Amino acid sequence: MVKSKTSAIKKRSDCPISCTLDLVGDKWSLLIIRDMMMFGKTTYNEFLASNEKIATNILNDRLISLTDKGLITYTGSARRKKYQLTAFGMELKPIIEAIANFGMKNFTKSKAYTQKQMKAAGK
Amino acid sequence: MVKSKTSAIKKRSDCPISCTLDLVGDKWSLLIIRDMMMFGKTTYNEFLASNEKIATNILNDRLISLTDKGLITYTGSARRKKYQLTAFGMELKPIIEAIANFGMKNFTKSKAYTQKQMKAAGK
DNA sequence: ATTACAAACTTGCATTTTGCAAGTTAATTG
DNA sequence: CAATTAACTTGCAAAATGCAAGTTTGTAAT
């Protein structure tokens, strides 16, 4: 598991928002955290199967990066990792929920989509 | 005011989170919205002066993109625009607040920074 | 009215990131 | 053991970012 290319973001200010965005200011990181938080996904293949079709190199890079930042951790063997959010990562929940609420309110197709996905996840 | 290079994001799924991230899934867009929402900034030069030192081409591109998406609008002449959030853009407030709260809780330097900035903005 | 200055972009270019698709390696299944 | 699948890695093109200089337009000063 080599170093992520994007994990060493140069800090640009002490603003709380800016510091948080240094951690999760890209859509792929947030989508992975969504998958873990809302759909209980834990494995590489599960993340890969999401509808957004993340590229394998981006997925791998982000899993490494999020692990380095302490937002997620994993168990299992080196090539069969099961990822999960750390307590630190769980603190991102209000952000994910706020993003979800905005989407539910403003994108009509998103409501049907969410019901379908929740059913599929059995949760 | 030409077309933004990044405004035509290809939609990857109907998930509400994904749709919202199609609008604001990059840190520069969120930082600009922060500047408007929390610091009352309205002009190109004010955004340019933020501590994160956004590049002029990125700032211009994002202002165009956010305008196209209906999140912000502007008054004034073509070369002296004063930007402001639309009602739609204001709905991003819970997201910005959630991001800010995470930062305030987890980055010790962020608290002092925020107090200093609020004082400087006279708000 | 004219000149100087500053705001608001635009441009050129190098670097980095993303995205696609194929390839390789390691683990599991039959 | 061979076949299959999961989990990456790699090559490369396109897109985005970032720096810094340049150009255009509006305002301020005289």
Side-chain angles (χ1 to χ4, degrees), chain A residues 12-42:
Chain A
R12 286 175 169 262
S13 89
D14 285 319
C15 166
I17 293 173
S18 187
C19 289
T20 303
L21 294 178
D22 285 342
L23 288 188
V24 290
D26 71 289
K27 76 172 185 186
W28 293 118
S29 294
L30 288 166
L31 287 174
I32 291 169
I33 287 165
R34 169 206 65 180
D35 283 349
M36 296 168 89
M37 200 171 270
M38 304 195 79
F39 302 134
K41 296 191 175 184
T42 61

Side-chain angles (χ1 to χ4, degrees), chain A residues 12-14 52 91 110, chain B residues 12-14 52 91 106 110:
Chain A
R12 286 175 169 262
S13 89
D14 285 319
E52 293 79 23
E91 290 185 25
S110 292
Chain B
R12 287 176 168 261
S13 89
D14 285 320
E52 293 79 23
E91 291 187 23
N106 290 292
S110 293

Side-chain angles (χ1 to χ4, degrees), chain B residues 76-95:
Chain B
S77 59
R79 290 280 286 218
R80 289 297 181 274
K81 297 185 188 74
K82 303 196 80 162
Y83 293 93
Q84 66 216 31
L85 287 155
T86 61
F88 184 41
M90 277 306 301
E91 291 187 23
L92 294 169
K93 191 174 182 189
I95 296 174

Side-chain angles (χ1 to χ4, degrees), chain A residues 28-62:
Chain A
W28 293 118
S29 294
L30 288 166
L31 287 174
I32 291 169
I33 287 165
R34 169 206 65 180
D35 283 349
M36 296 168 89
M37 200 171 270
M38 304 195 79
F39 302 134
K41 296 191 175 184
T42 61
T43 69
Y44 182 93
N45 238 14
E46 285 179 304
F47 301 129
L48 206 56
S50 294
N51 286 349
E52 293 79 23
K53 303 286 193 294
I54 188 172
T56 54
N57 56 332
I58 302 299
L59 174 57
N60 198 50
D61 180 79
R62 292 296 185 285

